[in-house]
Amino acid sequence: MENNFKSWMASPISKIFIGTNLVFAVLFLVSVPSFVKEYITQDAVSIGGKKYDLSDVKDSSPIAYSKFQSEYKALLKNTFGEFAQDKLFELIAKEKNIKPSEVLNEGLVLREPSEEEILNVYMSNKAQLGGKSLAETKDKIVGFLKNQQEQEHSRNKYREIITKYPVDFLIKEPEAIRVTVDEKNNPSMGPKDAKITVIEFSDFECPFCKRSQDVNRQLREKYKGQIRWVFRDFPLPFHQDAMYAHMAANCSIEEGKYWDVFNVLFDNSGNLSKSNVDALVLKTGLSKDKYQTCMKDQSKLKTEIDADIQDGQKVGVSGTPAFFINGIFVSGALPFENFDEIIQKELKQ
């Protein structure tokens, strides 16, 4: 509620319009990179008079080809989804003798928010209201609450429509491209004989990596006993405190405290100064003497971390977080569903 209200308050208009495209985006969560739109129709490239097509990309850069496949699938789904949505609205409009633009708002009756609801929004967002009183902000809060009613009505209406007229995407599933990624005795959790192995390249200072940890935990919990998770270091050069944090984590391996340190570093990823990292690590129960002795040999620690980075770069990792699910590349802090879909398919094989 609080974040929604802050975003709404920041809008130059007092009402967020819930158009058909936004409803589609809410339901399908599809993102289409612009470069795919530009180059999707190109079949080949000529370099110095020699022609190269997608089969050459697949052979020389499987990760790039895999990205192309997934982004092309997303583009198809988005295109067919928008087309299907327009057709659905036309069907409902014809049935009810209304305009397609009126379909989502049909039957909408807004109620006046209660004084308690208004007060709750005000108190939850008081710090962001610049000292304005409840009386000064009441009209905007009422507008926000009514807008929420409209959004909920639109979502429910759309769900009713697709229940009556189901939408199935008949899109050919692209071939899964796999690359070999070595574990190299890096920290792991889960059984060694698990059917699913996830190798994560990540950075303790990366905000997207921190965000992805919630999804990672959900996956490990759902597939407990079926999934093995391996963590490999990939501190990015522009994160000034990341390398030291990764060194500190690696110094906890011998004492069996790695995952405790792992969690506390991600929990504090916005404050990884050397002194704070040292304090955080020692709070996990790590021996101070052993930790300090280990950290003295930073050249050795950096060599191991650099090896992880180089291995990641060889298989196409250029940013964090990056994952390999049984060798299938997944880039970024994506929703749970993206990972879950791949894992479900892998378990069925």
Side-chain angles (χ1 to χ4, degrees):
M1 171 76 78
E2 180 180 349
N3 290 336
N4 289 342
F5 181 69
K6 281 189 266 186
S7 299
W8 184 86
M9 289 289 286
S11 174
I13 56 176
S14 61
K15 175 181 176 183
I16 298 177
F17 175 70
I18 305 300
T20 57
N21 288 339
L22 181 54
V23 173
F24 174 79
V26 168
L27 292 174
F28 292 97
L29 298 173
V30 174
S31 173
V32 186
S34 59
F35 85 88
V36 176
K37 294 179 181 178
E38 286 184 42
Y39 298 112
I40 201 71
T41 58
Q42 293 189 7
D43 299 317
V45 61
S46 177
I47 304 173
K50 184 176 180 180
K51 184 179 177 181
Y52 298 90
D53 60 23
L54 284 172
S55 64
D56 297 302
V57 177
K58 181 179 177 181
D59 291 339
S60 64
S61 183
I63 294 301
Y65 184 77
S66 179
K67 287 180 181 178
F68 162 78
Q69 283 187 312
S70 61
E71 287 158 355
Y72 182 45
K73 179 185 174 183
L75 176 59
L76 285 174
K77 190 173 182 180
N78 184 69
T79 302
F80 281 124
E82 290 183 355
F83 174 81
Q85 185 174 260
D86 289 342
K87 289 299 180 185
L88 288 172
F89 290 170
E90 288 175 12
L91 282 171
I92 301 300
K94 187 175 181 179
E95 285 179 6
K96 302 195 174 185
N97 196 27
I98 59 177
K99 296 177 181 178
S101 60
E102 297 171 342
V103 168
L104 290 179
N105 285 328
E106 193 226 355
L108 173 65
V109 178
L110 295 176
R111 63 172 180 80
E112 289 298 320
S114 68
E115 292 298 322
E116 182 181 1
E117 288 174 313
I118 295 169
L119 181 60
N120 285 340
V121 173
Y122 176 76
M123 295 304 295
S124 296
N125 297 274
K126 193 173 182 180
Q128 287 77 42
L129 293 173
K132 291 183 179 180
S133 67
L134 175 59
E136 291 176 299
T137 57
K138 185 174 181 178
D139 288 345
K140 284 194 173 184
I141 293 174
V142 168
F144 165 73
L145 289 169
K146 286 185 175 180
N147 175 256
Q148 282 199 321
Q149 293 178 42
E150 290 183 58
Q151 290 187 35
E152 185 62 24
H153 180 86
S154 295
R155 284 192 290 267
N156 290 337
K157 182 66 69 173
Y158 196 85
R159 290 188 181 99
E160 287 177 13
I161 294 170
I162 61 176
T163 298
K164 184 175 183 179
Y165 297 105
V167 176
D168 294 316
F169 291 94
L170 308 178
I171 299 172
K172 184 180 179 181
E173 199 64 34
E175 173 194 0
I177 304 299
R178 302 176 193 273
V179 295
T180 301
V181 185
D182 293 328
E183 296 182 22
K184 288 194 175 175
N185 202 34
N186 277 279
S188 66
M189 61 176 78
K192 289 186 177 182
D193 61 350
K195 192 166 184 180
I196 306 297
T197 296
V198 179
I199 298 179
E200 173 186 0
F201 288 86
S202 200
D203 175 339
F204 288 124
E205 197 179 351
C206 165
F208 300 103
C209 300
K210 178 179 180 178
R211 184 189 306 171
S212 74
Q213 297 310 309
D214 286 338
V215 169
N216 300 349
R217 280 188 286 268
Q218 290 177 50
L219 291 168
R220 290 193 291 266
E221 182 61 30
K222 179 175 180 178
Y223 296 104
K224 193 171 184 179
Q226 298 176 288
I227 194 168
R228 173 175 168 80
W229 204 281
V230 181
F231 187 84
R232 300 201 63 176
D233 302 299
F234 206 91
L236 298 169
F238 50 86
H239 286 155
Q240 297 181 356
D241 296 324
M243 179 61 79
Y244 188 85
H246 281 264
M247 291 178 181
N250 287 343
C251 278
S252 68
I253 294 174
E254 286 189 12
E255 290 193 64
K257 291 285 185 179
Y258 182 83
W259 295 109
D260 295 324
V261 171
F262 176 96
N263 290 331
V264 78
L265 290 177
F266 268 126
D267 287 344
N268 295 272
S269 65
N271 182 19
L272 294 179
S273 64
K274 291 182 179 181
S275 59
N276 196 44
V277 166
D278 292 339
L280 291 169
V281 167
L282 294 177
K283 280 183 181 178
T284 66
L286 208 63
S287 163
K288 185 175 181 179
D289 289 341
K290 290 182 178 179
Y291 172 69
Q292 290 178 339
T293 299
C294 178
M295 289 296 285
K296 285 180 181 178
D297 196 353
Q298 292 196 6
S299 176
K300 178 182 177 182
L301 292 166
K302 188 174 183 301
T303 296
E304 193 280 328
I305 293 169
D306 285 341
D308 277 3
I309 294 172
Q310 290 165 14
D311 284 351
Q313 290 172 337
K314 287 176 184 177
V315 292
V317 177
S318 57
T320 54
F323 306 87
F324 292 86
I325 305 173
N326 286 356
I328 300 171
F329 183 58
V330 179
S331 178
L334 301 180
F336 174 89
E337 292 74 17
N338 293 61
F339 294 89
D340 192 52
E341 181 181 2
I342 297 173
I343 291 172
Q344 289 279 4
K345 290 175 183 175
E346 289 297 296
L347 288 173
K348 290 176 183 177
Q349 291 187 8

